[in-house]
Amino acid sequence: MILPALFFYLFAGVCVASAAMVISSRNPVHSVLFLILAFVNAAGLFILLGAEFIAMILIVVYVGAVAVLFLFVIMMLDVDFAELREGFLEYLPFGLVIAAIFLLELLLVVGGWTLNPTVTKSITAAIPGDVSNTEALGLVLYTKYIHYFQLAGMVLLVAMIGAIVLTLRHRASVKRQDINVQNARTPEMAMGVRQVASGQGLQDADSAEWVK
Amino acid sequence: MMFEAAGYQLLPVLPEIVLAVGAMVLLLIGAWCGQRAAGLVTGLAICFLIGTGVIEYLLPHGRLMTFGGSFIVDEFARFLKILALLGSAATLVLSREFLEDQSRRMFEFAILVMLSTVGMMVLISAADLIMLYLGLELMSLALYVVAASNRDNVKSTEAGLKYFVLGALASGMLLYGASLIYGFTGTVSFAGIAAAAKTGSIGVVFGLVFLLAGLCFKVSVVPFHMWTPDVYEGAPTPVTAFFASAPKIAAMAVFTRVVLTAFSGVVAEWQQIVVFVAIASMALGSFGAIGQRNIKRLMAYSSIGHMGFALVGLAAGTVEGAQGVVLYLVIYTVMTFGAFTVILAMSRNGQALEQISDFAGLSRTNPLLAFFFAMLLFSLAGIPPLAGFFAKFYVFSAAIKAGLFALSVIGVITSVVGAFYYLNVIKMMYFDEQAEATDAVHIELRSVVAATALFNMLFFVYPGPLVSAATAAAKSLF
């Protein structure tokens, strides 16, 4: 019983500490690396809960794709983060006041906490040993929740169309590769054999054609 | 067939399926033929939208539920879905001329509008929180893209980005609220929430506040209205007309359904939120618009104010109130569409005109357009016997019957203040020094302006069918 608790505090502690480092570190690249650490620890917490599928998804999607994308963006954009953070201290008192109000409100809510009895039952229910997470999800995702699944697919389709609409441009001035033209090239199109009279060289027009 | 036995009939979602599959077919046509097919795709999209509306109308009457009770088709959903479909179809009609320009030609516009409309239909029919969220995202994501569709224009990209960032924030709040509600009631279905939340436990109310904050953003009411003027100004005019109509209908519909069905046990709790939001929006819509120079910004403030008026009906929380909301949505959509069509029609030497001062002397250069625009503005201001007056009449009488006197009085006062800026534009058109003549107006735009203005002028002659349809829609919620 002591071991899971120990691991819980290990993961939770590192998660919170690295989350704090994400917002306080000076170097944005370090921030992203700490973000990855936070994600990995959150995945550890999910494994402790018995939700191994979500844990793996968190690693694959967030660490493998999202965080790496962040890294790319941060390295490619020339954003002066130090400048962005300049007003941080100025706004800190105001921010702390708002945070305190939120904390107070949350405490009020927790004070009046009455959970639905069925919820606690379902949370503390033992995880069935004969069916794995992935299998359990698969059993409902394509049957009971097929409509949600299809709609989510349509949301992704819209995201894809949107990305293409907003970023794809065909510029006439840019040379593009055309495989068919490349494959159809014959030696006659690519090469020209000239008789060059000694001491005269090629004409200008000829040399221009060569360059092409 | 196994599905059908388990409460998964496909008939109630037939319109959505037709529209979604149609959008994908058109996407293939567009991808295959390139931008040459833009006109064809837009035309077919209009046909699909109208066809879907017909299918929706022909569905068997009464309440249909499917997908384990997460999708509902009742009179309310049917009425507002048809309205949203018409709004989307009219947007595409307006955009045909706009998209004819070579540099702007894009077939994806019609497809995005179609997919956004699928989202709206799902949203209107949502009967649980997951369906609500998915519909909302599908609708909004396409809207973010069309807001930025004029991508070489700085203002348009700014509008898209601003809308996206703030919209993502609103979605976050909505999800947080939804998770709280799920945590405290143990269910995501509206019927289940209504059964569990008979007394206002503080946790449920906390979730309700966040859920309503997310929805308020989509209906653009104070204090979640900040994006509206910038997005309305920056987005291309047909897109702005779209923003002001169909998505507002869908968001308002789901707002109404959530508070009236899922939270019918905690009326007092949501009523005070709705009353505050309504008062703040009506006031800001009236006072904020006075200083505006750009007609699209003015219409943005007008739309904030009008959503406030619609919420007055909702605040009543009665059948009359819901009927008022539905009627308000119909009439507001028609009025605002007409007004935006006039704005779209205003151009001089091919340059679109967006300043209010450009309307000066329009009554002499284009008397018919000026007359119709004046009628639409009178109607927006709520002057009898135009349709806009009846819209306000129904919501205020519902509020008075429910005992919300202060709210009604404030509403009427702000409505008088709001009349100032509508009348100011009319004064410009009729009494000010004439500016240069404007370009000839395209036949499609002319017919839309005429149809909307005539609807507003002649509504009082025969309001029966619309009012009874709105009553039937409102009754199906209770």
Side-chain angles (χ1 to χ4, degrees):
Chain A
M1 219 46 226
I2 187 88
L3 207 57
L6 217 64
F7 269 106
F8 172 78
Y9 285 113
L10 174 71
F11 285 138
V14 176
C15 193
V16 173
S18 49
M21 286 305 286
V22 173
I23 47 173
S24 61
S25 105
R26 282 199 169 275
N27 188 334
V29 177
H30 291 176
S31 288
V32 175
L33 293 177
F34 275 115
L35 191 67
I36 293 177
L37 186 60
F39 283 147
V40 173
N41 279 285
L45 287 175
F46 274 121
I47 290 193
L48 286 183
L49 277 173
E52 76 273 0
F53 182 78
I54 300 181
M56 292 306 129
I57 285 288
L58 198 67
I59 302 237
V60 173
V61 176
Y62 280 86
V63 179
V66 176
V68 173
L69 192 73
F70 276 3
L71 259 184
F72 266 105
V73 171
I74 285 171
M75 288 179 171
M76 308 235 318
L77 286 182
D78 184 24
V79 182
D80 191 353
F81 283 88
E83 194 183 320
L84 276 181
R85 213 171 299 159
E86 230 160 42
F88 182 68
L89 275 179
E90 255 173 75
Y91 297 119
L92 192 61
F94 189 62
L96 283 179
V97 169
I98 293 179
I101 293 172
F102 266 120
L103 186 67
L104 205 72
E105 285 179 345
L106 279 175
L107 287 178
L108 274 177
V109 171
V110 174
W113 193 283
T114 45
L115 277 178
N116 189 319
T118 55
V119 175
T120 37
K121 207 183 286 169
S122 69
I123 287 174
T124 51
I127 301 157
D130 55 335
V131 53
S132 73
N133 264 218
T134 321
E135 206 180 337
L137 272 173
L139 282 177
V140 289
L141 191 60
Y142 305 109
T143 52
K144 198 176 167 192
Y145 298 137
I146 178 72
H147 50 302
Y148 300 145
F149 188 69
Q150 291 289 339
L151 267 176
M154 268 190 325
V155 173
L156 288 182
L157 176 68
V158 169
M160 198 174 83
I161 298 174
I164 292 173
V165 166
L166 294 181
T167 56
L168 181 71
R169 289 163 197 264
H170 293 291
R171 286 209 186 85
S173 59
V174 176
K175 280 199 170 178
R176 295 170 68 86
Q177 188 180 22
D178 188 339
I179 306 281
N180 289 333
V181 171
Q182 277 182 350
N183 286 342
R185 245 157 89 102
T186 56
E188 287 75 42
M189 288 165 70
M191 295 191 296
V193 182
R194 302 289 159 90
Q195 288 288 335
V196 183
S198 116
Q200 285 186 348
L202 283 168
Q203 294 293 317
D204 282 349
D206 283 345
S207 57
E209 203 173 306
W210 268 122
V211 174
K212 193 167 78 184
Chain B
M1 303 311 106
M2 190 186 77
F3 276 164
E4 301 207 351
Y8 279 70
Q9 297 91 351
L10 290 180
L11 184 65
V13 283
L14 185 65
E16 283 81 1
I17 292 174
V18 168
L19 198 59
V21 171
M24 287 171 208
V25 169
L26 292 186
L27 184 63
L28 286 181
I29 294 178
W32 195 258
C33 303
Q35 298 302 354
R36 282 174 294 140
L40 174 75
V41 168
T42 311
L44 284 175
I46 296 170
C47 299
F48 265 112
L49 287 166
I50 292 173
T52 307
V54 172
I55 298 174
E56 190 70 56
Y57 183 74
L58 293 176
L59 283 183
H61 283 264
R63 174 178 295 206
L64 309 173
M65 301 273 268
T66 183
F67 292 138
S70 63
F71 190 93
I72 179 169
V73 181
D74 49 13
E75 293 304 320
F76 181 75
R78 194 170 293 141
F79 187 84
L80 290 176
K81 272 190 201 177
I82 292 173
L83 189 63
L85 283 164
L86 287 179
S88 300
T91 305
L92 290 183
V93 172
L94 291 192
S95 68
R96 275 177 75 97
E97 193 210 349
F98 179 76
L99 291 174
E100 260 167 28
D101 189 339
Q102 281 289 340
S103 61
R104 300 199 197 103
R105 190 184 272 187
M106 50 183 265
F107 70 89
E108 292 95 340
F109 181 77
I111 288 155
L112 286 170
V113 169
M114 277 172 91
L115 286 171
S116 177
T117 314
V118 175
M120 289 169 209
M121 295 170 72
V122 169
L123 193 57
I124 295 172
S125 274
D128 74 10
L129 293 171
I130 300 177
M131 211 65 174
L132 184 157
Y133 179 67
L134 285 170
L136 198 74
E137 274 316 283
L138 184 55
M139 173 182 100
S140 318
L141 205 56
L143 294 183
Y144 305 145
V145 179
V146 291
S149 62
N150 194 0
R151 62 185 187 184
D152 296 323
N153 182 318
V154 180
K155 278 199 164 173
S156 176
T157 42
E158 185 204 330
L161 190 65
K162 205 170 249 180
Y163 196 19
F164 174 63
V165 172
L166 292 175
L169 188 73
S171 291
M173 286 201 275
L174 186 132
L175 275 181
Y176 182 46
S179 71
L180 279 174
I181 293 168
Y182 175 60
F184 281 96
T185 60
T187 173
V188 287
S189 88
F190 290 170
I193 293 171
K198 282 225 167 57
T199 54
S201 97
I202 193 158
V204 174
V205 176
F206 213 75
L208 171 72
V209 171
F210 277 101
L211 190 70
L212 291 191
L215 291 177
C216 282
F217 176 87
K218 298 294 169 195
V219 235
S220 82
V221 287
V222 182
F224 302 99
H225 64 282
M226 270 78 124
W227 58 278
T228 323
D230 291 340
V231 172
Y232 273 39
E233 187 189 355
T237 309
V239 174
T240 314
F242 183 48
F243 282 179
S245 55
K248 289 275 168 72
I249 299 170
M252 202 67 185
V254 77
F255 200 126
T256 312
R257 189 188 290 282
V258 165
V259 297
L260 290 182
T261 62
F263 294 99
S264 51
V266 286
V267 176
E269 275 80 2
W270 61 257
Q271 203 174 33
Q272 48 182 313
I273 301 174
V274 174
V275 167
F276 166 75
V277 165
I279 291 177
S281 314
M282 289 186 298
L284 188 115
S286 309
F287 289 103
I290 291 174
Q292 301 305 323
R293 297 274 164 275
N294 182 301
I295 187 88
K296 278 159 84 180
R297 284 187 87 84
L298 183 129
M299 289 305 292
Y301 281 100
S302 151
S303 119
I304 295 171
H306 279 285
M307 284 301 122
F309 288 118
L311 285 178
V312 169
L314 188 58
T318 55
V319 178
E320 286 99 35
Q323 178 211 10
V325 174
V326 172
L327 263 180
Y328 207 99
L329 284 178
V330 178
I331 293 172
Y332 167 71
T333 307
V334 176
M335 292 188 298
T336 195
F337 234 105
F340 273 111
T341 315
V342 175
I343 297 169
L344 191 61
M346 290 289 290
S347 64
R348 188 173 293 144
N349 308 324
Q351 283 296 100
L353 300 179
E354 290 182 359
Q355 297 303 310
I356 295 174
S357 55
D358 292 328
F359 284 84
L362 187 69
S363 64
R364 270 142 289 172
T365 54
N366 195 340
L368 199 61
L369 189 69
F371 172 72
F372 282 144
F373 194 35
M375 284 302 129
L376 287 164
L377 289 172
F378 274 131
S379 181
L380 280 165
I383 288 168
L386 300 169
F389 166 75
F390 289 97
K392 287 201 173 81
F393 174 78
Y394 280 107
V395 289
F396 283 129
S397 71
I400 286 169
K401 271 184 203 154
L404 300 165
F405 298 112
L407 177 65
S408 318
V409 171
I410 296 174
V412 173
I413 292 172
T414 53
S415 162
V416 173
V417 177
F420 164 74
Y421 58 82
Y422 297 120
L423 295 178
N424 188 31
V425 179
I426 296 173
K427 178 218 127 201
M428 283 262 188
M429 290 195 298
Y430 277 89
F431 301 111
D432 278 13
E433 268 316 301
Q434 174 173 352
E436 276 177 72
T438 49
D439 293 350
V441 182
H442 209 272
I443 177 76
E444 280 157 356
L445 301 186
R446 261 189 293 181
S447 42
V448 173
V449 172
T452 52
L454 288 175
F455 170 86
N456 273 300
M457 286 150 70
L458 301 177
F459 173 76
F460 74 98
V461 178
Y462 192 49
L466 205 55
V467 174
S468 58
T471 316
K475 275 199 181 123
S476 71
L477 280 180
F478 289 88

